[in-house]
Amino acid sequence: MINKFKYAMLALPLALAVSACGDQAAENEGQVQEATVDQPGFEDRSATPAEAQSEAMTLAEHLASGDLNSAEAADALEDLDRLVTANIVDFPQDIRPGLTEDVEAARSALESQDMEGLQEAATRIQAKLSSAGSATDAG
């Protein structure tokens, strides 16, 4: 009986440590989600066209980097899709159709676990946003 109690007492710190790690991971994920939602263009926070385009560029850069695992890529792509959809009028009219097509292409690539295809679609999104930014800067 004492041995069982002794083992239970030894296992308690391990159980607490594992539990704390799980809580920390959930907390980190929540903080990342909260930081994203706090950006202009999300959750009824209005964004200027420049803010929407900048945030879309940042998300596209993350997707194109190849540094994200599939879960992180799915989160970034979902954020990009919501941002573009909710703020489509903030993007130049001439890139809107291509932008939504590239977001859909990225979604299809992710669903088929084609990370290279996802990166290519994200690179096309970056190029469209860059050219739109250049045209806006020049105009």
Side-chain angles (χ1 to χ4, degrees):
M1 176 127 167
I2 290 178
N3 282 340
K4 287 182 184 179
F5 180 73
K6 185 169 146 182
Y7 290 125
M9 293 307 290
L10 290 173
L12 183 60
L14 177 63
L16 290 173
V18 169
S19 173
C21 289
D23 290 345
Q24 183 64 39
E27 183 178 320
N28 287 345
E29 186 175 321
Q31 288 172 348
V32 168
Q33 180 67 23
E34 191 174 303
T36 299
V37 171
D38 283 344
Q39 294 298 317
F42 291 98
E43 300 292 322
D44 298 329
R45 291 203 59 222
S46 60
T48 66
E51 288 172 331
Q53 291 175 34
S54 174
E55 185 63 22
M57 179 63 90
T58 299
L59 290 166
E61 286 171 354
H62 288 307
L63 290 167
S65 73
D67 295 337
L68 304 177
N69 65 37
S70 60
E72 293 166 331
D75 288 342
L77 182 57
E78 181 63 30
D79 290 343
L80 179 61
D81 188 17
R82 280 188 289 153
L83 178 69
V84 169
T85 301
N87 300 287
I88 194 67
V89 297
D90 291 335
F91 296 93
Q93 188 171 359
D94 60 325
I95 71 164
R96 291 176 195 167
L99 192 59
T100 55
E101 287 172 11
D102 288 336
V103 169
E104 283 305 312
R107 184 174 299 287
S108 294
L110 183 64
E111 288 172 359
S112 64
Q113 296 297 312
D114 177 9
M115 296 307 277
E116 188 174 306
L118 171 66
Q119 290 172 310
E120 289 171 9
T123 300
R124 289 192 305 270
I125 292 168
Q126 283 181 289
K128 283 179 179 62
L129 292 169
S130 276
S131 68
S134 297
T136 303
D137 293 341

